[in-house]
Amino acid sequence: MERMEVTETFAGIALPGHLHTQESLGFAAAFAFRPTDVLIATYPKSVPCQAGPALTPSSAGTTWMQEILTLLFSLGDARPAKTIPNWERAPWLEQIYCREALRDTETRRLLTTHLPAHVLAPALQRSKAKVIYVARNPKDVAVSFYHFHRLAKFLPDPGSFDAFLTQFLEGTVHYGSWFDHVKGWLGQRHLLDILYVTYEELHQDLCGTAQRLGTFLGCPLAPGTLTALEQHCTFAAMRDNAMANYSLIPPEIMDHSQGRFMRKGVVGDWRDHFSPQQNALFNQRYQEEMGDMELPTQWPMA
Ligand SMILES: Nc1ncnc2c1ncn2[C@@H]1O[C@H](COP(=O)(O)OS(=O)(=O)O)[C@@H](OP(=O)(O)O)[C@H]1O
């Protein structure tokens, strides 16, 4: 299947052109956040669309967080998560369909972004909106992102894993450098009402992390919400939920014959992909970039 790759460049980073225009990106940068808005911010490796689907990348737990917050806001009622695609429940601020998706939305708005902090920080700092930043071990991000490139026809052909990893470490992949993204959002910790969560924490203790989210959002968990989370936010449940697994995306945009968006959902898959040389190079680059950073978690890098 042919790639439909068109690139839009904004703030120095390349983005899929079928989803982003200068107008849509300008809309995001100047967004009038409301105090009740909740923004999920992640470095990519996966997906949203509009009435007829599109996609973007992630790998950080975006889709998982969208599902969890949908259930928190619905007080455990699974119907929205089962009937409304996640790109409508939590639209990507920077994508072309967002303005229309938010028209007439009066209730609490759940938004998503893959944009770097420096683009959104001025608008966020003018507001009291809450931000939830989700991060994941970058080695697993690189693996997940690589596999996603194989499906996503709007992204460049990744070539070999080795070639892709080189670009990932150089920050020349779409959405830019993982290191810059994480450092940028961590740098907002004293300037925004922001909570940092990791993919690994969600794995380790979904309910405990959900309770922390509820406290941060001023939305204590209703009886039954935890049960609903345990039921609907597992990897298996989300893999089978067409409103969360991107199976609705047409094959010319996402070639489902190449694999699934909900691929493995595990921690540490990099160990099955990295050669010792790749691992050493990654560790060196990680140390150079992140050496002194205070991180929400220490990922096992060895
Ligand atoms: N419930 C649950 N449990 C465990 N893992 C999960 C879950 N939901 C999504 N995932 C995994 O998250 C990866 C996709 O990342 P994102 O959702 O950030 O992608 S995107 O930005 O929305 O494109 C992708 O990771 P990989 O499987 O490693 O590729 C998904 O499988």
Side-chain angles (χ1 to χ4, degrees):
M1 203 168 292
E2 285 205 7
R3 292 201 170 251
M4 44 172 290
E5 186 195 334
V6 186
T7 297
E8 191 70 52
T9 302
F10 188 76
I13 58 172
L15 297 157
H18 78 298
L19 281 175
H20 305 88
T21 59
Q22 294 301 312
E23 197 279 331
S24 75
L25 290 156
F27 170 77
F31 193 68
F33 287 99
R34 297 178 189 159
T36 50
D37 286 343
V38 177
L39 176 69
I40 302 169
T42 60
Y43 180 84
K45 183 254 88 136
S46 88
V47 183
C49 353
Q50 52 183 0
L55 258 311
T56 97
S58 110
S59 58
T62 326
T63 315
W64 205 354
M65 187 56 71
Q66 288 172 328
E67 208 75 352
I68 292 166
L69 294 184
T70 298
L71 282 156
L72 288 196
F73 290 171
S74 71
L75 308 180
D77 180 352
R79 279 174 296 184
K82 290 284 189 189
T83 56
I84 307 169
N86 51 7
W87 56 86
E88 284 180 27
R89 286 185 256 132
W92 258 255
L93 204 49
E94 57 271 24
Q95 296 190 357
I96 44 180
Y97 67 93
C98 189
R99 188 193 292 272
E100 190 57 36
L102 295 180
R103 195 181 297 278
D104 305 329
T105 309
E106 295 303 333
T107 52
R108 166 132 73 167
R109 299 184 299 187
L110 181 58
L111 307 160
T112 310
T113 189
H114 284 322
L115 289 176
H118 67 90
V119 173
L120 293 183
L124 283 165
Q125 286 168 12
R126 286 193 294 271
S127 81
K128 290 188 163 42
K130 290 183 186 291
V131 180
I132 296 166
Y133 188 77
V134 192
R136 184 181 187 184
N137 184 330
K139 293 183 180 176
D140 283 335
V141 171
V143 170
S144 183
F145 208 2
Y146 168 72
H147 286 287
F148 186 68
H149 273 68
R150 299 180 64 226
L151 318 186
K153 294 300 156 193
F154 53 87
L155 289 172
D157 184 337
S160 67
F161 179 65
D162 194 59
F164 180 78
L165 195 60
T166 301
Q167 292 177 44
F168 182 86
L169 289 174
E170 286 170 350
T172 52
V173 289
H174 273 52
Y175 296 90
S177 158
W178 179 91
F179 302 106
D180 290 349
H181 202 276
V182 171
K183 288 190 284 189
W185 282 102
L186 284 175
Q188 295 295 317
R189 63 171 72 233
H190 302 302
L191 301 169
L192 299 179
D193 195 3
I194 184 165
L195 180 74
Y196 299 97
V197 176
T198 64
Y199 176 90
E200 291 76 13
E201 284 173 285
L202 293 171
H203 250 279
Q204 201 173 11
D205 183 8
L206 177 63
C207 289
T209 312
Q211 271 161 336
R212 198 153 66 89
L213 286 164
T215 304
F216 172 70
L217 297 172
C219 142
L221 301 199
T225 302
L226 288 179
T227 314
L229 283 174
E230 286 176 320
Q231 206 178 334
H232 299 292
C233 294
T234 63
F235 179 79
M238 287 177 58
R239 187 190 52 203
D240 293 341
N241 179 6
M243 299 299 144
N245 66 15
Y246 293 98
S247 56
L248 298 178
I249 306 293
E252 62 274 17
I253 295 177
M254 191 163 164
D255 183 357
H256 304 284
S257 71
Q258 295 294 314
R260 291 172 144 190
F261 172 84
M262 296 290 294
R263 190 183 60 89
K264 271 195 181 174
V266 297
V267 171
D269 193 32
W270 65 268
R271 291 193 171 84
D272 287 338
H273 288 75
F274 280 46
S275 68
Q277 291 80 2
Q278 289 166 340
N279 197 32
L281 186 65
F282 202 110
N283 286 344
Q284 183 191 333
R285 185 93 179 106
Y286 186 87
Q287 187 54 36
E288 286 164 8
E289 289 277 1
M290 309 299 285
D292 297 332
M293 281 306 282
E294 206 180 301
L295 295 169
T297 189
Q298 287 302 328
W299 288 290
M301 300 297 282

